[in-house]
């Protein structure tokens, strides 16, 4: 039913933006001449097209391009037909009208065009790298996903119009020029050189890429016969080793996992100074922001290294899932991104098993839970009509929720059957386009499970269920029931009635038996009962922790679990704490009961479990920031529950210590020095930092990150100026970002005002500015100054910040937990429409409502 409804909506509303299939591209031969002095470019192209039925019109996409010449010739020769060019600006397309009808067959469409190399981080744009002498060296590069190839060359800019591409670039001879494929010829003429690249595989326009600028190149690493290199801005080649090692290992892993060789002829990973997202999966030419690829492993925290490994693996996973096999239209982009997120975790967990990546993914998954428990959430897959709507799909529901439901399915049907189904899907649909159900059919064939029915209940329905578990009086029967979870009270009759097909893995201990009982079931109805032969001593719903649902245990069952916490896995303990906090957030559980609950974890040794507990305490700190009595109690509780961990771990790592333990040390120090307000921690952090800066006692990276947080949160003007200087002069992207973000943590509003000013005067790059403003609004001491800055500079912000990531800034309003400020926020955003991002903005506004409701319902006694 959901499939039919989606199809009807798509067909009825997308004609204004979708191109007809009367004419389809076969190949592009593109010649471009970019000028990095004037920031202009000229181009010409020959598009071989097939006309399927006689027509005198051809429609294609173009935005902000000047079409100077357009004519067409029949394949094999014949008269040239000149076209009348009609620009349809609002629809982002061009209509060519010919004097006579063009008969069906193969034709050559020839176009001359020109455009601007903008500073908007989309289409064909420019990025500046600072040289040692203070001058700038410009890099011209592309970012086309979702629908911005049309800003660089006229094209049929929809994912289903796959074709081959051959690119020729004419550039200054001292510049490096890169594209999706290897160079087949290079000629020099005076101060210019002309480079022609090999023809690509058949692919979509959004993964075409080219980069021109001064770059340094690493040595090539051969991966199953494919050369892999990293290109970096000048002076940063020494920061490429880690990513190159991870990239080579991940590419080899995916070759084996997918069972199909990588479809390109080389693999370049390219770091650039300005990039709106983490990276972009262009075939053979993946482009990254610097901090997602370049790293000094001696200075980087584990979180920073993990991010690089994740992003590199994610983009490489796309070479098959998304590039080789591609969705037909943007409503299916969720599967591309969700599957790449899932596969990044599979790969990194395989390559770095000691990182326990599936456990730490629980933290990321919690962000999806937080959004999907809102009224303003959306289904994972929904109709996409206008181009900007596609940009609105790159969010936590696409990535984290999508990956979570794939993981849930994999664990339910089994990893081997899942892998077999994926391999079958890719082999059947390589170089083609698919719908979501094509994957479900392959997985169903491999597993025998009703995959389509299960997944459709998760993909086309909003939200997720809360599974309530009750034990009957004879202790042998467990009742399970499902109801959609909401953060805000919702008594409307049509709310909460969704039925999800919930894969449930269950583990139980019964009286008199040493062996644990494991059961698997599919909850397809509102409720079910599970009978046991003997009395149940304890029971875990969502055993293993991979299910995308919450569990509300009866008081009796929860008490039984709390008594055997050490027997639960880290992810099961994480879920137990996360679910209990969610029930506290929506008012089901009293806050005092949750705060007492946190004391059960004093001796827990898992960083991820602590992350949910500390996150909850930090939220309470923001919520009750004006209540001194509540604040003092939170400080005391933070000291009480975290001091045992701090005393056990101290400041120095021990030999053979796990990565998660190193992270936990940093988390404990940061929490005690901020939420805990522990003066001894603050003093010790300052002393150790002084020795670190002086070079006499270097801090471990995870401890350094925590110390910077503590000192910024408690810092004065002198500390601000110190961190400001380190931000400007950091020796690695991670060091620069660490100190940049620290400038949003201070308490003094005047200092925070200085930070905000940097986002408009160019000191903070546009790619980072929305995040920094967001963080200041999330800082309880920065609420007023942050919101005032946004309100008073809204017009300039919209001109300066990249439009693609403006919703990141709006996320900051979730921290404005003040009734008067919130009233102003709601009124402000009633008058502003976010093209392509309105769903996300509505979610942020509802999270603010959730916070205000939390404050009104809960109190700290």
């Amino acid at each position: 039913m959901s499939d039919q409804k989606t199809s009807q909506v798509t067909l009825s509303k997308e004609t204004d933006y979708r191109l007809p299939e009367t004419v389809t591209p076969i190949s592009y031969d593109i010649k471009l001449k970019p000028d990095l002095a004037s920031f202009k470019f000229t181009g010409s192209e020959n598009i071989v097209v097939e006309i399927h039925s006689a027509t005198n019109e051809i429609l294609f996409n173009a935005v902000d391009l000047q079409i100077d010449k357009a004519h067409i010739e029949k394949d094999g020769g014949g008269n040239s037909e000149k076209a009348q060019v009609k620009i349809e600006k609002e629809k982002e397309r061009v209509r060519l009208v010919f004097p006579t009808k063009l008969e069906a067959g193969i034709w050559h469409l020839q176009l001359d065009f020109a455009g601007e190399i903008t500073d908007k981080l989309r289409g064909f744009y420019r990025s500046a790298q600072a040289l040692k002498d203070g001058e700038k060296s410009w890099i011209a590069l592309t970012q086309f996903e979702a629908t911005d190839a049309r800003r660089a060359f006229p094209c049929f800019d929809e994912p289903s119009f796959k074709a081959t591409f051959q690119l020729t670039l004419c550039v200054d001879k001292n510049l490096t020029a890169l594209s999706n494929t290897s160079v087949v010829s290079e000629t020099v003429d005076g101060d210019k050189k002309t480079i022609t690249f090999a023809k690509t595989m058949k692919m979509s326009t959004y993964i075409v890429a080219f980069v021109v600028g001064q770059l340094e190149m690493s040595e090539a690493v051969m991966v199953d016969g494919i050369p892999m290199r990293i290109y970096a801005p000048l002076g940063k080649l020494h920061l490429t080793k880690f990513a190159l090692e991870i990239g080579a290992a991940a590419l080899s892993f995916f070759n084996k996992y997918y069972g199909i060789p990588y479809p390109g002829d080389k693999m370049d990973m390219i770091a650039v100074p300005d990039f709106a997202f983490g990276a972009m999966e262009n075939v053979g030419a993946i482009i990254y922001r610097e901090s997602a690829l370049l790293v000094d492993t001696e200075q980087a925290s584990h979180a920073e290294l993990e991010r690089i490994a994740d992003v590199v693996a994610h983009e490489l996973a796309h070479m098959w899932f998304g590039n080789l096999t591609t969705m037909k239209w943007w409503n299916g982009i969720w599967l591309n991104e969700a599957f790449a997120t899932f596969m990044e975790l599979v790969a990194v967990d395989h390559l770095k098993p000691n990182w326990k990546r599936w456990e730490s993914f629980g933290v990321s998954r919690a962000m999806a839970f937080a959004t999907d428990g809102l009224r303003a959430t959306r289904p994972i897959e929904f109709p996409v009509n206008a181009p900007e709507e596609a940009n609105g799909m790159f969010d936590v529901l696409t990535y984290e929720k999508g990956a979570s439901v794939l993981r849930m399915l994999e664990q339910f049907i089994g990893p081997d059957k899942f892998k077999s189904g994926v391999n079958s899907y890719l082999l059947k649909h390589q170089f083609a386009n698919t719908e979501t159900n094509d994957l479900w059919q392959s997985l169903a064939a491999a597993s025998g499970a009703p995959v389509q029915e299960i997944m459709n209940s998760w993909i086309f329905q909003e939200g997720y269920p809360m599974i309530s578990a009750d034990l009957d009086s004879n202790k042998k029967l467990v009742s399970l029931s499902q109801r959609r979870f909401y953060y805000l009270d919702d008594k409307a009759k049509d709310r909460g009635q969704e039925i999800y097909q919930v894969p449930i893995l269950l583990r139980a201990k019964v009286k008199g038996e040493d062996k644990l009982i494991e059961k698997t079931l599919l909850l397809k109805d509102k409720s079910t009962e599970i009978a046991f032969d003997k009395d149940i001593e304890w029971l875990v719903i969502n055993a293993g922790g991979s299910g995308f649902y919450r569990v509300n245990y009866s008081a009796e069952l929860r008490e039984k679990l709390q008594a055997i916490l050490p027997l639960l896995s880290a992810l099961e303990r994480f879920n137990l704490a996360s679910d209990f906090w969610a029930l506290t957030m929506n008012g089901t559980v009293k806050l005092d009961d949750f705060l007492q609950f946190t004391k059960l974890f004093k001796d827990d040794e898992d960083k991820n479990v602590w992350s949910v507990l500390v996150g909850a305490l930090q939220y309470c700190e923001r919520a009750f920031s004006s209540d001194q009595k509540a604040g003092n109690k939170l400080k005391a509780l933070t000291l009480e529950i975290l001091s045992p961990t701090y005393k056990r771990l101290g400041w120095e790592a021990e030999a053979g210590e796990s990565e998660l333990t190193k992270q936990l040390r940093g988390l404990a120090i940061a929490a005690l020095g901020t939420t805990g307000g522990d003066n001894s921690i603050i003093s010790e952090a300052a002393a150790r930092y002084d020795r670190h800066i002086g070079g006499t006692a270097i801090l471990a990276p995870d401890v350094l990150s925590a110390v910077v947080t503590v000192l910024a949160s408690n810092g004065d003007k002198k500390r601000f100026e110190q961190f400001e200087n380190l931000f400007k002069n950091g020796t690695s992207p991670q060091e620069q970002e660490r100190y940049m973000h620290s400038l949003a943590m201070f308490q003094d509003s005047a200092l925070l005002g200085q930070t905000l000013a940097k986002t408009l005067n160019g000191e903070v790059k546009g790619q980072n500015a929305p995040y920094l403003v967001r963080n200041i609004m999330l800082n309880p001491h920065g609420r007023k100054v942050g919101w005032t800055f946004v309100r008073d500079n809204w017009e300039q912000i919209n001109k300066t910040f990249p439009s693609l990531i403006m919703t990141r800034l709006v996320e900051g309003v979730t921290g404005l937990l003040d009734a008067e400020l919130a009233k102003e926020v709601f009124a402000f955003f009633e008058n502003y429409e976010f093209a392509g991002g309105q769903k996300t903005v509505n979610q942020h506004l509802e999270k603010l409502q959730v916070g205000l409701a939390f404050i009104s319902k809960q109190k700290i006694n």
Side-chain angles (χ1 to χ4, degrees):
M1 183 181 232
S2 296
D3 287 341
Q4 184 179 7
K5 181 179 179 182
T6 299
S7 177
Q8 288 174 346
V9 172
T10 300
L11 288 175
S12 64
K13 291 188 177 181
E14 63 195 7
T15 52
D16 278 350
Y17 299 97
R18 294 288 293 272
L19 298 174
E21 297 182 356
T22 312
V23 180
T24 55
I26 297 171
S27 67
Y28 294 77
D29 188 342
I30 305 169
K31 296 178 173 61
L32 292 173
K33 184 182 290 187
D35 183 344
L36 296 188
S38 66
F39 303 129
K40 306 285 186 181
F41 68 92
T42 58
S44 62
E45 64 182 337
N46 177 45
I47 311 176
V48 179
V49 299
E50 181 174 1
I51 297 178
H52 298 278
S53 59
T55 182
N56 68 335
E57 292 187 344
I58 295 179
L59 267 71
F60 55 79
N61 298 110
V63 177
D64 296 333
L65 293 177
Q66 177 181 322
I67 310 294
D68 296 317
K69 188 173 87 171
H71 64 275
I72 196 165
E73 292 181 1
K74 189 79 164 66
D75 188 51
N79 292 332
S80 174
E81 293 273 5
K82 186 177 180 180
Q84 179 186 4
V85 179
K86 294 184 177 181
I87 306 295
E88 299 180 358
K89 185 175 181 179
E90 290 187 2
K91 297 176 182 178
E92 300 190 352
R93 66 191 188 190
V94 173
R95 185 183 302 270
L96 300 183
V97 181
F98 296 91
T100 60
K101 278 201 170 185
L102 308 175
E103 63 185 46
I106 307 301
W107 293 75
H108 293 251
L109 177 61
Q110 297 172 356
L111 303 166
D112 291 346
F113 55 93
E116 180 183 349
I117 304 171
T118 73
D119 60 356
K120 302 303 182 184
L121 306 193
R122 63 193 303 187
F124 194 17
Y125 74 93
R126 62 186 185 266
S127 173
Q129 57 177 323
L131 303 181
K132 291 182 179 180
D133 60 6
E135 294 296 314
K136 290 181 178 179
S137 174
W138 292 99
I139 300 170
L141 68 146
T142 58
Q143 168 55 33
F144 291 160
E145 192 176 29
T147 57
D148 287 322
R150 63 191 67 179
R151 297 177 185 272
F153 58 94
C155 57
F156 296 79
D157 198 15
E158 296 181 12
S160 62
F161 289 120
K162 283 192 167 185
T164 62
F165 298 81
Q166 182 152 34
L167 180 70
T168 298
L169 292 172
C170 180
V171 301
D172 293 347
K173 69 178 182 180
N174 65 317
L175 300 181
T176 297
L178 305 169
S179 189
N180 302 92
T181 50
S182 299
V183 174
V184 293
S185 71
E186 180 175 333
T187 59
V188 177
D189 183 7
D191 61 354
K192 298 288 184 181
K193 63 181 178 182
T194 300
I195 301 172
T196 299
F197 299 90
K199 184 180 291 187
T200 70
M201 69 178 189
K202 187 178 180 183
M203 65 188 201
S204 302
T205 49
Y206 77 90
I207 51 175
V208 174
F210 33 95
V211 180
V212 178
Q214 289 184 290
L215 299 167
E216 293 181 344
M217 178 186 73
S218 74
E219 293 293 324
V221 173
M222 298 305 293
V223 183
D224 302 330
I226 298 295
M228 172 178 272
R229 297 179 179 86
I230 290 182
Y231 288 83
L234 301 179
K236 297 183 178 180
L237 194 62
H238 65 289
L239 302 174
T240 60
K241 183 180 178 182
F242 178 77
L244 193 57
E245 290 176 352
I246 284 289
L251 187 61
S252 180
F253 172 81
F254 290 134
N255 273 328
K256 296 179 179 68
Y257 184 97
Y258 290 126
I260 298 173
Y262 164 66
D265 65 357
K266 54 97 177 176
M267 174 51 67
D268 295 335
M269 300 196 293
I270 309 155
V272 296
D274 300 283
F275 201 73
F277 305 105
M280 178 60 208
E281 66 269 16
N282 315 300
V283 171
I286 304 174
I287 301 176
Y288 298 78
R289 67 163 56 194
E290 289 182 350
S291 61
L293 190 69
L294 308 179
V295 65
D296 182 344
T297 54
E298 297 300 315
Q299 296 185 33
S301 68
H302 177 85
E304 291 162 345
L305 293 175
E306 186 177 274
R307 177 177 182 245
I308 288 175
D310 284 353
V311 175
V312 168
H314 180 102
E315 305 310 322
L316 290 171
H318 271 306
M319 297 303 114
W320 290 263
F321 215 100
N323 294 359
L324 181 66
T325 301
T326 312
M327 70 281 164
K328 287 182 179 178
W329 181 240
W330 294 110
N331 62 300
I333 190 62
W334 80 268
L335 188 55
N336 276 17
E337 296 301 343
F339 197 88
T341 303
F342 170 81
M343 285 305 303
E344 89 189 30
L345 295 162
V346 171
V348 174
D349 188 59
H350 174 80
L351 300 173
K352 300 283 187 181
N354 58 317
W355 288 9
K356 299 186 182 299
R357 206 47 201 92
W358 283 115
E359 292 180 10
S360 57
F361 178 63
V363 180
S364 301
R365 186 179 61 178
M367 296 189 299
F369 274 131
T371 296
D372 213 28
L374 303 173
R375 299 170 183 166
T377 189
R378 63 165 176 84
I380 292 179
E381 182 169 324
F382 68 91
V384 173
N385 302 310
E388 64 265 17
E389 293 176 6
N391 293 325
M393 294 193 76
F394 296 92
D395 64 3
V396 70
L397 298 174
T398 286
Y399 289 82
E400 279 75 17
K401 181 182 179 181
S404 296
V405 297
L406 289 172
R407 172 66 169 175
M408 178 171 64
L409 178 65
E410 182 220 33
Q411 293 296 288
F412 184 65
I413 67 175
D416 291 340
K417 292 177 180 178
F418 186 89
K419 178 176 176 293
S420 176
V422 168
N423 293 350
S424 173
Y425 166 81
L426 290 172
L427 193 62
K428 181 178 180 180
H429 300 289
Q430 58 183 324
F431 306 112
N433 297 87
T434 63
E435 301 278 7
T436 300
N437 279 337
D438 293 323
L439 177 60
W440 304 156
Q441 290 169 6
S442 293
L443 291 171
S447 65
V451 174
Q452 183 171 336
E453 291 82 355
I454 294 172
M455 295 306 286
N456 282 355
S457 79
W458 294 91
I459 301 310
F460 296 111
Q461 289 192 120
E462 301 174 346
Y464 56 87
M466 171 70 78
I467 306 298
S468 295
D470 294 284
L471 186 64
D472 79 339
S473 58
N474 68 16
K475 313 300 183 187
K476 295 183 177 66
L477 188 70
V478 175
S479 299
L480 300 180
S481 61
Q482 63 165 299
R483 182 175 175 82
R484 182 175 167 183
F485 177 85
Y486 284 104
Y487 282 105
L488 293 175
D489 289 337
D490 207 314
K491 299 176 182 178
K493 293 181 179 179
D494 61 340
R495 296 284 188 175
Q497 300 303 311
E498 294 85 352
I499 298 292
Y500 304 86
Q501 296 207 13
V502 189
I504 291 180
L505 307 182
L506 176 151
R507 187 172 77 255
K509 171 76 168 62
V510 297
K511 191 172 182 178
E513 297 287 343
D514 293 330
K515 186 177 180 180
L516 300 180
I517 296 173
E518 296 181 347
K519 293 190 177 187
T520 300
L521 65 135
L522 185 63
L523 180 59
K524 301 166 67 174
D525 302 308
K526 274 286 186 185
S527 62
T528 191
E529 293 180 338
I530 307 168
F532 291 81
D533 294 332
K534 298 181 179 179
D535 288 6
I536 298 170
E537 294 187 357
W538 55 264
L539 174 82
V540 179
I541 308 297
N542 199 6
S546 63
F548 192 75
Y549 51 87
R550 296 195 183 279
V551 181
N552 183 14
Y553 293 98
S554 65
E556 182 180 7
L557 285 173
R558 181 175 288 108
E559 287 172 4
K560 290 176 181 292
L561 285 178
Q562 290 172 181
I564 55 97
L565 282 178
L567 299 182
L568 303 182
S569 72
L571 191 50
E572 289 167 349
R573 299 196 307 279
F574 177 94
N575 286 346
L576 185 66
S578 180
D579 293 348
F580 203 49
W581 171 240
L583 289 167
T584 307
M585 282 290 295
N586 79 354
T588 302
V589 171
K590 290 182 179 180
L591 179 56
D592 279 348
D593 291 340
F594 175 80
L595 297 178
Q596 283 297 119
F597 170 82
T598 65
K599 297 178 182 181
L600 299 171
F601 295 86
K602 285 182 183 179
D603 298 321
D604 202 294
E605 298 182 0
D606 186 79
K607 168 255 176 185
N608 298 305
V609 173
W610 275 109
S611 71
V612 68
L613 299 173
V614 169
L617 294 177
Q618 290 172 336
Y619 190 89
C620 290
E621 180 187 21
R622 292 198 298 273
F624 301 104
S625 59
S626 60
D627 185 338
Q628 186 175 356
K629 182 179 178 182
N632 290 336
K633 289 187 176 181
L634 283 172
K635 287 181 179 180
L637 177 62
T638 302
L639 293 175
E640 178 184 350
I641 65 174
L642 271 167
S643 290
T645 296
Y646 170 68
K647 290 176 181 177
R648 184 177 76 252
L649 298 180
W651 288 82
E652 307 288 344
E654 296 183 359
E657 196 172 71
S658 73
E659 292 293 337
L660 289 177
T661 299
K662 294 175 184 176
Q663 292 178 78
L664 178 56
R665 176 180 293 105
L667 185 151
I669 291 170
L672 289 168
T674 55
T675 305
D678 189 325
N679 289 323
S680 65
I681 292 285
I682 297 169
S683 298
E684 183 68 14
R688 286 178 177 266
Y689 185 74
D690 288 344
R691 294 196 292 272
H692 172 83
I693 290 296
T696 59
I698 301 302
L699 291 170
D702 289 294
V703 172
L704 175 60
S705 291
V707 165
V708 169
T709 296
V710 170
L711 296 183
S713 299
N714 298 279
D716 57 12
K717 183 178 180 181
K718 183 178 179 180
R719 184 71 73 187
F720 182 91
E721 290 172 349
Q722 180 186 32
F723 285 4
E724 180 183 36
N725 182 60
L726 289 164
F727 154 57
K728 293 177 179 178
N729 299 293
T731 58
S732 72
Q734 288 72 31
E735 184 179 23
Q736 290 174 331
E737 288 198 359
R738 182 184 303 146
Y739 286 105
M740 177 191 71
H741 288 299
S742 77
L743 301 182
M745 299 175 185
F746 286 78
Q747 296 185 26
D748 185 276
S749 60
L751 296 178
L752 294 175
Q754 291 183 39
T755 302
L756 290 164
K758 295 178 190 300
T759 65
L760 288 180
N761 67 15
E763 290 184 62
V764 171
K765 288 179 177 290
Q767 65 178 9
N768 297 321
Y771 300 94
L772 201 58
V773 176
R774 173 197 66 184
N775 290 349
I776 288 177
M777 286 192 283
L778 291 173
N779 177 349
H781 303 281
R783 284 176 187 166
K784 191 169 184 179
V785 67
W787 170 246
T788 301
F789 173 82
V790 170
R791 181 197 65 203
D792 293 349
N793 295 280
W794 187 245
E795 185 176 344
Q796 184 63 28
I797 285 171
N798 276 278
K799 291 178 180 178
T800 307
F801 294 5
S803 60
L804 292 173
I805 52 175
M806 273 293 290
T807 54
R808 307 296 188 184
L809 179 152
V810 182
E811 185 181 2
V813 305
T814 65
L816 304 181
L817 298 174
D818 174 274
E820 290 303 313
L821 279 181
K823 184 178 179 181
E824 189 176 320
V825 168
F826 294 133
F828 181 88
F829 284 106
E830 277 185 5
N831 300 317
Y832 190 84
E833 184 79 16
F834 277 77
Q838 192 58 47
K839 287 184 175 69
T840 303
V841 170
N842 292 342
Q843 290 158 9
H844 294 326
L845 293 173
E846 187 178 340
K847 286 178 182 178
L848 176 54
Q849 291 179 314
V850 170
L852 297 173
F854 174 78
I855 294 170
S856 68
K857 291 177 185 176
Q858 302 284 17
K859 59 182 179 178
I860 299 176
N861 295 311

